[in-house]
Amino acid sequence: MPTSLEKLLHEAGTYLGRRATFAPAILATVVALIVFVLADHQRQARLNADERAEVAEKITSLAARLQTNLIGDIMLLQGIVAGIAVNPTMDEAEYARLSAQVLQTPSQLKIITAAPNLVVRWVYPTHGNEKVIGLDYRTDKQQHDGAMAARNSHNIVLVGPIHLVQGGEGFIARTPVYITDGRAQTFWGLLSGVIDVEKLYSDSGLTTTDLDIAISSPAASANAKNVFYGDASILDRDPMFASLDMGYGRWTIAGTPKSGWGSHNNMTVFRLAAGAVCLAVVAPMLWAGSLARSRQKTIVKLRERESDLMLARQDMEYQSLHDPLTELPNRRYLDRLLASEYLRPERTLLSLIHVDLDAFKEVNDSRGHAGGDTVLRVTASRLRDVIGPDDVAMRIGGDEFVIATRGDNPKAFVSLAHSIVRELSTPILVDGVECKVGASAGVAWQRENGNVAHLLGNADLALYEAKRQGRGQAEVFTRKLGDAARATKKLGDEIEAAIERNELVPYFQPQFDVNTHSIVGVEALVRWDHPERGILAPAQFLSVAEERGWSSAIDRLVLQRSLFELTRWDAAGMYVPRISVNVSAQRLVELANRWELSSLVFQRGRLCFELLESISFEGQSAAFQASIQNVKELGIDIEIDDFGTGHASILSLLELRPRRLKIDRQIVMPITQSTSQRRLVSSIVEIGRSQNIEIVAEGVETMEHASILRDLGCHVLQGYAFARPMSSEEFMRFYEARKQAGQHVA
Ligand code: C2E
Ligand code: CA
Ligand code: CA
């Protein structure tokens, strides 16, 4: 699992990587932007300068035209002045003729007044301007200054625009008229020309220009602007200026483009072009950047997926090598560990300790699956605690564990195994109930050749031996143990095959009435009809079969075959009153299932179950009691086998209400020599009699035995003195022979 720091570093790396991808594109964009802005700025500045120059030029031209027009007007006026100077005594008619002549010339002059001695006398055209006649400049407030200035300066004075007395607006150009006669100059008066403002403006092109124009004349104060044409606000719009100085008046013309500065400086095309250039530079880089980025994204994604896959694989790997319940490594892990052992260069020895819980099945049965799980988990944690840091504890199946440990000294392996067994002998609390589970262990370690192939098998054999020795202990694997165990294992495998091949058959040993010696029954005793070794007695295979858990199957098999033979004998007219079969403890518990017995066909009282006294009848489960009850209800007799050898309380045995007690042959055989054994048999007979229980004696080897047992009060005799166990065919011949000999059969 990556830590959060690793994740952070990874993310930071990805982020920086992403940035690095775009670094050239970002740089190019920045450079392009700077170039663009500079070029734009420069271009703008140049356009602005151009525009200003153009505006300045236009204003200058307007000023020139204004000046030309004004000068023209004044020159026309001076033509009249010259006329008056030549003819100071001219009359009104002459003045009118001269004026009319002058005004024929296209100009902006529209009215010409003559004021000899500063009082207006004539006005041309007279019509409409009559009001002005008689105006005295010396007393007229509005016109006094201008008139005086003209007279005193001997120069032309241009005023206006002013409101005209006769109405409207106009500029007034005043020309002083002096008459020169030889040496002296005398002031004649003023000749004034009214210049048509509108016409002057339009003739000068002010009305058609595409500029906003403001014309000002110097005012009284320096700051104030005396704007008489146009909007004064133009002066605040950073206008271009041109001066108009005619000597008799100075005007300033200010102009800005009508639509404002820069409106014609069309930057769009330039900007588009520049933008296109920038884009042409940047776009491919961006594109390349985005390609690189998407590639990087893909790579990052792939890496993520790869690491996801890796994690998933690791997870699967972990799961495949571990047991989910205890989280211990599992059997596969052990296999790998052993496989990798060949690659190890170290010279230390590998040891395996095979541990198996002794009473796991019982806890599982009594406390359920959850209880079983608890036991396994507690066991796992105890194993973890007891082993060394370099040791590995594994759960290789059900309640089987293996501890792998290394070292030079086998003593350490053995002592670890003992520690484990001791540790696991402590009861385990399951749902508040103390369960004595216990464990057995088998130890095996690498031998000289270093081969580990048989290590687990050897540990298993040692474990097997530990179990056989009585559980709750640890055994070490030895060669002898190996041989024996291998033989036992081989035998077990063979028995399994024998059961499948029907090689297990019942032999029958007859039982006889103690007085009449007629056959009262047979005991079925299992034999292995071995294809090579001939007929094998139970001692040669039964314990191994029982260890493997097949005794139940064998008992069932013997019962079925026995009933079959009984039917066969009946059919052959050969009456055997009763057939007895041995029932193992394992089998008895199973027989609680009524259906199995009910499916069997037999007559009541003709079947008997022999139960070993050593099967503890005390404190047995309800299933056991039910089983006994079931057996009895079906009309099957219960007989206690090997009576007198076990330690069961006689009272508990009697509680089972058996039909018969079978005195063990260990007790029967010595009766010929031992009076105490005879007394023992006698007391057993006494018990039986008091409880109405028949007494059977087995191991009746001689007729002497037979007569003593009869005297002691036994009912049934079984032993070599009468007959050995035999096959069904042999028994049939035996029966027939006795019948022929006139002996009682049944
Ligand atoms: P068991 O039930 O006490 O059976 C009697 C054993 O005593 C038989 O040995 C029999 O052959 C032997 N025997 C009979 N008469 C004499 C005698 O006069 N002298 C001596 N020394 N022995 C005599 P077997 O057949 O080898 O059986 C041994 C034991 O195996 C049986 O003891 C019984 O506990 C067990 N067994 C046999 N067959 C079965 C079976 O089908 N199921 C189960 N669960 N156990 C069986
Ligand atoms: Ca028996
Ligand atoms: Ca017996």
Side-chain angles (χ1 to χ4, degrees):
M1 279 283 165
T3 64
S4 55
L5 181 68
E6 279 169 334
K7 218 166 133 193
L8 199 72
L9 287 174
H10 174 77
E11 273 167 14
T14 311
Y15 177 68
L16 289 174
R18 219 177 283 153
R19 299 230 317 196
T21 321
F22 277 105
I26 289 167
L27 195 70
T29 309
V30 168
V31 169
L33 270 175
I34 291 170
V35 168
F36 179 88
V37 167
L38 285 177
D40 188 78
H41 191 78
Q42 207 169 25
R43 167 99 187 153
Q44 184 93 56
R46 233 187 55 213
L47 281 178
N48 284 349
D50 286 357
E51 188 182 29
R52 292 188 81 81
E54 195 185 312
V55 168
E57 205 173 289
K58 280 183 184 167
I59 291 173
T60 309
S61 145
L62 284 173
R65 284 171 73 182
L66 263 178
Q67 193 163 20
T68 308
N69 283 333
L70 283 170
I71 289 173
D73 292 346
I74 283 158
M75 282 182 55
L76 283 176
L77 207 56
Q78 279 183 329
I80 298 172
V81 169
I84 292 168
V86 175
N87 182 15
T89 57
M90 72 165 54
D91 59 5
E92 186 174 3
E94 233 173 322
Y95 169 78
R97 191 187 49 81
L98 187 61
S99 294
Q101 202 177 2
V102 164
L103 287 181
Q104 268 174 0
T105 313
S107 74
Q108 292 78 34
L109 278 176
K110 61 176 185 183
I111 302 162
I112 302 165
T113 53
N117 296 316
L118 299 172
V119 179
V120 177
R121 190 186 295 166
W122 305 317
V123 57
Y124 182 86
T126 318
H127 184 70
N129 297 317
E130 295 88 351
K131 278 187 189 167
V132 82
I133 294 169
L135 176 76
D136 190 343
Y137 290 134
R138 291 163 303 185
T139 54
D140 185 86
K141 243 192 192 139
Q142 200 190 353
Q143 308 215 15
H144 172 267
D145 289 357
M148 289 307 133
R151 190 193 79 170
N152 299 341
S153 69
H154 294 234
N155 210 341
I156 298 163
V157 171
L158 186 68
V159 294
I162 57 166
H163 286 287
L164 300 174
V165 179
Q166 58 273 43
E169 286 211 329
F171 289 106
I172 296 173
R174 300 189 204 284
T175 314
V177 184
Y178 284 86
I179 296 162
T180 317
D181 58 341
R183 305 162 287 139
Q185 241 186 356
T186 51
F187 180 68
W188 178 83
L190 283 176
L191 190 73
S192 302
V194 176
I195 296 168
D196 186 338
V197 175
E198 303 303 328
K199 193 157 189 287
L200 172 70
Y201 293 157
S202 75
D203 286 356
S204 305
L206 287 177
T207 50
T208 52
T209 183
D210 54 355
L211 300 179
D212 274 337
I213 297 292
I215 306 173
S216 58
S217 56
S221 78
N223 288 340
K225 290 280 186 287
N226 185 16
V227 175
F228 59 85
Y229 175 85
D231 192 346
S233 72
I234 290 167
L235 297 175
D236 303 325
R237 281 189 245 146
D238 194 19
M240 292 307 287
F241 294 99
S243 284
L244 188 68
D245 196 348
M246 297 155 292
Y248 35 78
R250 219 189 76 208
W251 292 353
T252 303
I253 303 180
T256 61
K258 265 204 166 70
S259 45
W261 288 112
S263 68
H264 292 298
N265 304 353
N266 198 341
M267 291 290 287
T268 317
V269 174
F270 171 79
R271 280 177 185 162
L272 279 178
V277 169
C278 287
L279 213 63
V281 173
V282 172
M285 303 190 91
L286 277 173
W287 187 57
S290 86
L291 275 185
R293 177 166 172 191
S294 82
R295 214 184 111 240
Q296 205 166 35
K297 262 188 185 166
T298 314
I299 289 172
V300 166
K301 243 187 228 153
L302 279 174
R303 280 209 196 117
E304 276 169 5
R305 198 167 306 157
E306 199 178 68
S307 71
D308 280 356
L309 275 175
M310 217 167 73
L311 284 177
R313 238 198 333 259
Q314 281 172 359
D315 196 40
M316 273 168 60
E317 181 89 346
Y318 180 88
Q319 283 178 5
S320 78
L321 292 174
H322 288 79
D323 160 44
L325 179 68
T326 60
E327 295 200 347
L328 290 180
N330 60 12
R331 174 66 197 237
R332 267 172 57 96
Y333 187 98
L334 175 61
D335 290 343
R336 289 219 183 160
L337 187 143
L338 291 176
S340 69
E341 199 54 34
Y342 294 102
L343 305 171
R344 287 177 75 106
E346 292 107 298
R347 286 290 90 202
T348 53
L349 298 174
L350 174 70
S351 170
L352 294 186
I353 301 171
H354 195 174
V355 177
D356 188 282
L357 301 183
D358 289 333
F360 178 71
K361 198 181 171 304
E362 286 84 333
V363 175
N364 218 22
D365 288 345
S366 61
R367 308 234 58 92
H369 260 278
D373 286 355
T374 304
V375 168
L376 292 173
R377 270 194 289 258
V378 170
T379 302
S381 94
R382 286 186 189 175
L383 285 176
R384 278 193 206 101
D385 290 347
V386 79
I387 62 175
D390 296 331
D391 303 339
V392 191
M394 294 155 274
R395 181 183 173 214
I396 62 163
D399 59 344
E400 285 183 64
F401 299 84
V402 166
I403 288 84
T405 177
R406 301 199 127 267
D408 302 315
N409 187 4
K411 276 185 188 161
F413 307 149
V414 179
S415 91
L416 177 59
H418 283 298
S419 307
I420 289 169
V421 168
R422 204 177 320 119
E423 196 65 34
L424 298 181
S425 69
T426 313
I428 294 172
L429 262 188
V430 179
D431 299 333
V433 177
E434 276 201 352
C435 292
K436 282 193 170 215
V437 183
S440 306
V443 193
W445 55 86
Q446 254 173 323
R447 304 286 153 162
E448 311 74 48
N449 62 10
N451 194 353
V452 292
H454 303 297
L455 212 48
L456 184 60
N458 291 350
D460 192 28
L461 289 176
L463 169 66
Y464 187 84
E465 181 61 17
K467 291 256 181 195
R468 222 173 54 84
Q469 301 274 316
R471 309 186 158 200
Q473 42 193 310
E475 276 298 325
V476 174
F477 172 81
T478 58
R479 186 149 292 162
K480 198 176 137 214
L481 193 72
D483 294 346
R486 261 189 290 281
T488 307
K489 188 179 180 300
K490 189 163 166 266
L491 181 64
D493 294 346
E494 285 173 0
I495 295 166
E496 190 175 16
I499 295 172
E500 277 171 17
R501 288 198 296 259
N502 264 327
E503 286 174 9
L504 298 187
V505 295
Y507 263 42
F508 303 97
Q509 187 176 30
Q511 299 169 332
F512 300 88
D513 181 273
V514 76
N515 297 311
T516 63
H517 289 189
S518 61
I519 296 172
V520 294
V522 290
E523 180 183 6
L525 294 158
V526 71
R527 295 291 180 269
W528 182 357
D529 189 0
H530 198 281
E532 289 143 29
R533 293 156 66 195
I535 300 295
L536 302 181
Q540 289 171 277
F541 62 90
L542 213 54
S543 63
V544 175
E546 199 180 319
E547 278 163 11
R548 292 275 190 116
W550 295 316
S551 45
S552 225
I554 292 171
D555 285 357
R556 191 185 306 123
L557 194 143
V558 169
L559 172 62
Q560 285 168 347
R561 288 289 298 271
S562 299
L563 289 178
F564 171 77
E565 295 301 337
L566 187 65
T567 316
R568 211 176 130 205
W569 300 332
D570 281 352
M574 186 181 127
Y575 183 68
V576 177
R578 179 176 70 235
I579 196 159
S580 299
V581 295
N582 293 279
V583 173
S584 63
Q586 196 190 345
R587 168 81 174 148
L588 191 67
V589 173
E590 279 186 15
L591 288 180
N593 291 323
R594 193 187 174 89
W595 63 267
E596 201 203 309
L597 288 177
S598 356
S599 66
L600 297 172
V601 180
F602 61 91
Q603 289 169 289
R604 291 182 73 89
R606 289 189 74 189
L607 181 60
C608 175
F609 281 176
E610 290 187 16
L611 272 49
L612 282 180
E613 194 219 61
S614 56
I615 300 172
S616 175
F617 295 98
E618 267 173 301
Q620 278 291 0
S621 66
F624 178 88
Q625 306 286 355
S627 211
I628 297 289
Q629 197 54 36
N630 184 22
V631 165
K632 282 183 177 171
E633 278 170 11
L634 286 166
I636 300 168
D637 292 346
I638 298 285
E639 188 169 320
I640 305 299
D641 200 357
D642 294 355
F643 191 78
T645 52
H647 307 284
S649 102
I650 290 172
L651 280 176
S652 80
L653 284 178
L654 298 180
E655 258 173 38
L656 285 176
R657 305 222 141 268
R659 184 71 196 275
R660 276 175 288 271
L661 294 179
K662 194 183 213 179
I663 306 171
D664 190 68
R665 57 185 181 276
Q666 310 293 329
I667 295 169
V668 170
M669 285 193 292
I671 56 170
T672 46
Q673 278 94 41
S674 163
T675 47
S676 68
Q677 294 291 324
R678 277 202 293 273
R679 265 204 303 281
L680 183 55
V681 171
S682 178
S683 59
I684 292 172
V685 169
E686 206 48 51
I687 294 168
R689 190 169 289 151
S690 70
Q691 301 289 316
N692 201 20
I693 295 171
E694 278 187 69
I695 305 297
V696 181
E698 67 175 3
V700 184
E701 293 197 332
T702 62
M703 290 318 281
E704 194 193 346
H705 284 89
S707 65
I708 296 171
L709 289 165
R710 185 193 58 207
D711 295 345
L712 288 172
C714 289
H715 304 95
V716 177
L717 304 177
Q718 178 184 349
Y720 295 170
F722 298 93
R724 291 187 170 247
M726 58 193 98
S727 69
S728 180
E729 275 71 28
E730 284 170 335
F731 176 63
M732 284 169 91
R733 280 198 293 275
F734 172 83
Y735 189 95
E736 197 54 39
R738 279 180 72 90
K739 203 176 165 187
Q740 295 296 322
Q743 289 171 305
H744 284 286
V745 282

